[in-house]
């Protein structure tokens, strides 16, 4: 994919996301919501950072299985059961993101939800990617 990340000077500084991503490619991959489920279908991690790492690992595994790479991500949405906790852990979550996905940030949003399908889950990530 050719990804042009656009961060206009008239908008606030984009930290850990891009304001817009223009993707040029031939395939679009829609990624289902991923929580901190392990291979046995059990939520792992008692803390937000541990759950974020597993959810992101799962999202990237699905993307790689479809032939993509983290740099192909065009959009990711984070559904969090506690946005205040997410904000409080943002520096740590950012380090996890950079270690697993690099610095080519997709367009992103964080949305607070009452609960997720897996009741122990603190967050869920979904998104889409554009592949060459």
């Amino acid at each position: 994919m050719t990804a042009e990340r656009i961060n206009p000077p008239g908008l606030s500084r984009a930290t850990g996301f891009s304001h817009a991503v223009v993707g040029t490619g031939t395939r679009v991959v829609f990624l289902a919501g991923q929580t901190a489920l392990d291979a046995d279908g059990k939520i792992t991690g008692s803390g937000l950072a541990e759950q974020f790492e597993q959810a992101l690992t799962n999202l990237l595994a699905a993307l790689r299985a479809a032939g993509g790479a983290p740099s192909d991500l065009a959009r990711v949405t984070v559904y969090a059961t506690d946005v205040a906790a997410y904000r409080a852990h943002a520096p740590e979550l950012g380090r996890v993101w950079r270690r697993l996905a690099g610095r080519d940030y997709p367009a992103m949003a964080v949305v607070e939800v009452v609960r997720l399908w897996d009741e122990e889950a603190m967050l869920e990530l979904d998104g889409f990617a554009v592949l060459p």
Side-chain angles (χ1 to χ4, degrees):
M1 165 181 94
T2 301
E4 179 185 2
R5 291 158 195 341
I6 300 171
N7 293 298
L11 296 179
S12 65
R13 183 173 169 258
T15 304
F17 70 98
S18 294
H19 282 290
V21 176
V22 178
T24 305
T26 59
R27 294 178 58 208
V28 177
V29 178
F30 295 91
L31 299 161
Q34 299 293 325
T35 60
L37 288 177
D38 64 13
D40 294 324
K42 304 239 189 289
I43 293 290
T44 63
S46 59
L48 192 60
E50 296 89 359
Q51 286 202 13
F52 181 83
E53 182 166 353
Q54 184 63 54
L56 181 56
T57 296
N58 293 347
L59 188 80
L60 295 176
L63 176 58
R64 286 186 180 100
S71 60
D72 296 324
L73 286 168
R75 172 101 175 131
V76 170
T77 302
V78 179
Y79 303 92
T81 58
D82 185 344
V83 170
Y86 187 93
R87 286 181 62 107
H89 288 86
E92 185 178 4
L93 302 178
R95 287 190 292 276
V96 170
W97 180 279
R98 289 186 296 279
R99 181 169 42 83
L100 297 177
R103 291 184 175 270
D104 292 324
Y105 298 112
M108 294 184 75
V110 178
V111 178
E112 186 168 273
V113 296
V114 174
R115 66 167 290 238
L116 297 163
W117 183 265
D118 299 301
E119 290 189 28
E120 303 93 22
M122 297 175 189
L123 53 83
E124 183 170 333
L125 286 77
D126 75 4
F128 70 89
V130 181
L131 280 57

